[in-house]
Amino acid sequence: MLILALLCVIPVIHIWALSFSSSSAAAAGEVSLWPVDWSLNSYKYVLQNDQFFDSVLITLQRTLLGTAISMILSILTAYPLSKMSTDFRSRTFYAWYFVFTILFYGGLIPWYITVQMTGIMDTIWALILPGAVQVFNVILLLNFFRGLPKELEESAFMDGAGYMTTLWRIYVPLSLPALATLTLLTVVYHWNAWFDGLILMNSPERYPLSTYLQTIVIQSDLTQINSQTAQFMTTISDRTVKASQIFLGALPIIAVYPFLQRFFVKGLVLGSVKE
């Protein structure tokens, strides 16, 4: 376990050290696990543009709204699909309806036309609604719902509870381990997504963070570089800028994960069977 942990941590430490090193040290391959010739020029290059902070706000808005909407829709979709065909006659049809979207993809052009025809182009909803229902998450969640004792639902019905009350008062609290895992996956998806922002946003001012960083660093789009940022081009290297980009992109996820880890443990306790 210690070796596996080191294999996961050492690359992150190396990226951190590389992002704080000088361009000459990075180019010479002198950086290992500690910065050489400490330098903040790479971070200044990324952070000095006001558009960076605008993209951070857009990404935070997208992550919060997108995760909340996706989890609610996943719960509402997985619960009826977890029932037997005797309880929900159309379950098989709807199950294959969702599975079909995994096996067959319409393509980029139909996806773009669909978003355009709905009138949400160049808005935050264009980044949220097209991927609001993650079928993979729905499948994982409905399988978790199936593993819960059916007697819990039957006893709730005997006490006068309906389906919605049973879902939110019994199934959801007992499913915290699965919900925490799916929440983390959804947060990572929205935080790292860049392609849809590049296609669906008409102006760079509406780019999310990953799209903004991909534009100014990977594509080296000179239209996003002003006279102030141009002076840093001689003091930074491609490796240090990419390292700072990776570290900044991973930092929020690293900060969020310990809080979700607490819900993992709490959910396991709530989901245990007490006699």
Side-chain angles (χ1 to χ4, degrees):
M1 292 296 295
L2 179 60
I3 294 176
L4 292 176
L6 290 176
L7 291 176
C8 297
V9 173
I10 288 178
V12 178
I13 298 177
H14 174 69
I15 292 297
W16 167 80
L18 190 64
S19 65
F20 282 102
S21 300
S22 63
S23 59
S24 58
E30 301 174 355
V31 183
S32 57
L33 300 179
W34 191 256
V36 178
D37 298 333
W38 282 78
S39 176
L40 297 176
N41 288 334
S42 296
Y43 287 96
K44 291 180 181 179
Y45 171 76
V46 176
L47 298 175
Q48 68 177 339
N49 198 331
D50 293 336
Q51 186 180 342
F52 174 82
F53 298 99
D54 295 337
S55 64
V56 170
L57 294 178
I58 293 174
T59 299
L60 288 175
Q61 183 181 6
R62 171 184 183 171
T63 303
L64 294 176
L65 289 176
T67 302
I69 293 175
S70 180
M71 293 307 301
I72 292 174
L73 292 179
S74 297
I75 293 173
L76 295 178
T77 305
Y79 179 64
L81 292 180
S82 65
K83 304 302 178 184
M84 302 297 294
S85 299
T86 55
D87 299 327
F88 181 29
R89 295 183 179 179
S90 302
R91 177 199 170 276
T92 303
F93 169 78
Y94 285 107
W96 280 106
Y97 177 82
F98 285 101
V99 172
F100 182 84
T101 62
I102 299 179
L103 302 177
F104 300 95
Y105 175 60
L108 178 61
I109 296 178
W111 168 72
Y112 180 85
I113 294 176
T114 301
V115 176
Q116 187 180 43
M117 295 298 293
T118 54
I120 60 176
M121 285 287 294
D122 203 29
T123 65
I124 189 66
W125 301 111
L127 306 176
I128 296 175
L129 295 182
V133 179
Q134 300 291 330
V135 180
F136 179 75
N137 294 350
V138 172
I139 294 176
L140 291 180
L141 193 56
L142 73 87
N143 287 328
F144 191 90
F145 283 163
R146 281 185 174 182
L148 296 177
K150 190 176 182 181
E151 291 76 12
L152 294 174
E153 185 178 52
E154 293 176 351
S155 62
F157 289 159
M158 293 179 62
D159 292 336
Y163 284 104
M164 294 300 293
T165 302
T166 304
L167 171 62
W168 296 108
R169 299 292 295 273
I170 296 179
Y171 274 77
V172 171
L174 293 178
S175 305
L176 288 182
L179 294 176
T181 302
L182 297 181
T183 299
L184 180 61
L185 295 176
T186 307
V187 168
V188 173
Y189 161 75
H190 281 291
W191 189 269
N192 292 333
W194 64 271
F195 181 73
D196 53 355
L198 189 65
I199 299 298
L200 302 178
M201 298 293 106
N202 297 329
S203 57
E205 291 77 12
R206 297 183 180 271
Y207 281 169
L209 178 60
S210 296
T211 305
Y212 167 74
L213 292 176
Q214 194 271 349
T215 302
I216 67 171
V217 177
I218 298 180
Q219 291 186 355
S220 299
D221 188 357
L222 297 180
T223 60
Q224 306 300 321
I225 301 177
N226 53 33
S227 59
Q228 294 179 348
T229 59
Q231 63 182 347
F232 288 103
M233 298 302 295
T234 58
T235 60
I236 61 176
S237 67
D238 183 64
R239 295 187 62 190
T240 58
V241 172
K242 288 183 178 181
S244 62
Q245 171 195 356
I246 295 173
F247 188 74
L248 286 175
L251 187 60
I253 304 301
I254 297 176
V256 168
Y257 184 80
F259 296 96
L260 291 179
Q261 179 67 25
R262 176 170 61 90
F263 287 101
F264 289 158
V265 179
K266 183 178 179 182
L268 290 174
V269 175
L270 290 177
S272 60
V273 178
K274 299 181 180 180
E275 298 180 354

